[in-house]
Amino acid sequence: MKKIDITLLGTTCLLVIIGLLAIYSSASSQYLFRQLIFLSIGITSLLIACFTPRRLIYGMAEIFYGLTLLLLILVLIFGSGPGAHRWFAIRIFNFQPSELAKISTVIILAKYLSYRRKMDFDFKTLAGPTAIIIPVVTLILLEPDLSTSISFLPMYAALLYWQGLRPLYILLLFIPVLSFIAGFSLYFWIPFFTIISIIVFLRLRFFQALAAIATSSFFGLLSPVFLSLLKDYQRARIKSFFAPWLDPHGMGWNIIQSQIAIGSGRIFGKGYLNGSQKRLGFLPNRHTDFIFSCIAEEFGLIGSIILLVIFGLLIYRLLLIAYKTRDQNGALITIGFAAIIGYHVFVNIGMLLGILPVTGITLPLISYGGSSLVVTMTMIGFALNVAMNSE
C-alpha cells in the first residue's frame, strides 16, 4: 500500500472549495446547502472508489456497464427534463444516468483494451471497443443530449492513442461522426472539410485520400437530410448549438451576457459577491453551466488564470499517475477520466468565451449539480486507487 496522492487530492479539494464559494455568490445559501449534501455523497463515493480492491472493480465491469445501459433505456421511458428525457427526479435532486455512463464505459473499455497488446487500424481490432461505446452514445443521443454524447468521443480517442493507435488512424476512425456533426452548420463543415482534405492528401495515398474525402462528404450530406426529418423544436435546439448568435435576444442571450460578464471583470475583477451581471439577473444559469462567467467577473483575468492552472495541475497529475503505474488497466482508466475532465473544462470555458458552440456542459467540481459532482469525485477516487497501488 502506498501513500495517497496529496497533490491530486489537494487540487480536488481546492476546486471544490472554489465551487462552493462561487455557488454561494452566484445563487443563494439554499443552493450552497444542497451542494454540501451532494458533496457528502461525493466524498463517500471518492472513498469507496479509492479503497475498493481493483480486482473487484475490474471483475464487475460488465455488470456495471449492463446496469448503465438499463438505466439509459429506463430514463428514455420514465425520465424528465425540459423537452427531453435525461434525469430521474429523486426528491431533492435529479439523477442523470449519462453521468454514470462515463465511469462504466471507461472501466469496461479499459478492461477490453488492456488485453490488446497492439492496436491496428482494422475491423478486427476496432470492432470490439467501438461496439462498446456505440450503444451508450446512441441512447444518450435519443434523450436527446448531444453535448454529453459527444463527450465520449475524446475519451475513446485518448484510450486508443494510449494503446498505440496513430493519431492519423484515430482521425480516420472519427471522420464519419465528425463530418455528420459538422454537417449541421456550413460554418463548421466548410473549414472542417478543408482541414480534413489537406491532412488526408498530405498523409495518405491518392486513392486512400479520395476514399476518406468521399466518406466525409457522404456523412456530412446526411446531416441536412436528418435535420429535415426532425420536428421544429428539435431543429431549433440543434441550430442553437451551432449558431446562438443568430438570435441575440433568444437563443444567443446566455452567451452574450456571459461574455459581457467575463469582459467586465477586467484584470482583477469586481470582488467577491460584487458581480453586477449575476446580481442584476442578466446572467442565466449562473450557478450551473455559466459559473465560470461569475468567477471571471468577480476575480478577473488573474482569478481565471489561477483557476485554469489548478485544473491543469489536476489533469497533469492524472496523466502522471497513468504514466507511472504498471497496471495497464488502471492506466487506461485514469487516462479516460483525465480526457473526460479535460474535455469538460475545455468545452465549458470555450463556450463561455464564445469560441465553441453553447452546450449543457458543466465545469467539473465547480458547477452546481449532484450528478456531475459525485461522478467527478468518483473518478478522482479511482485515480487515487491506481496511484496508491501503482507498483
Side-chain angles (χ1 to χ4, degrees), residues 267-343:
I267 302 296
F268 299 104
K270 297 177 178 176
Y272 185 56
L273 301 177
N274 291 322
S276 57
Q277 281 296 107
K278 58 93 179 175
R279 192 176 66 246
L280 297 175
F282 289 117
L283 190 61
N285 301 321
R286 51 190 176 273
H287 59 298
T288 55
D289 302 343
F290 288 74
I291 198 166
F292 177 77
S293 303
C294 296
I295 295 173
E297 184 182 22
E298 295 186 344
F299 297 98
L301 179 63
I302 301 297
S304 302
I305 290 175
I306 292 174
L307 181 63
L308 290 177
V309 169
I310 298 172
F311 269 120
L313 183 59
L314 179 83
I315 294 168
Y316 167 75
R317 205 65 197 178
L318 290 172
L319 296 177
L320 195 62
I321 290 171
Y323 179 75
K324 285 186 174 181
T325 184
R326 295 181 180 178
D327 175 9
Q328 182 67 359
N329 201 340
L332 284 164
I333 288 176
T334 309
I335 286 294
F337 291 156
I340 289 175
I341 294 173
Y343 170 82

Side-chain angles (χ1 to χ4, degrees), residues 158-190:
L159 292 182
L160 294 178
Y161 178 74
W162 186 261
Q163 280 300 87
L165 193 64
R166 291 171 55 190
L168 178 62
Y169 293 151
I170 295 174
L171 176 64
L172 293 176
L173 180 66
F174 282 93
I175 273 184
V177 177
L178 296 176
S179 295
F180 182 76
I181 295 172
F184 285 120
S185 169
L186 277 179
Y187 295 105
F188 283 86
W189 195 76
I190 291 175

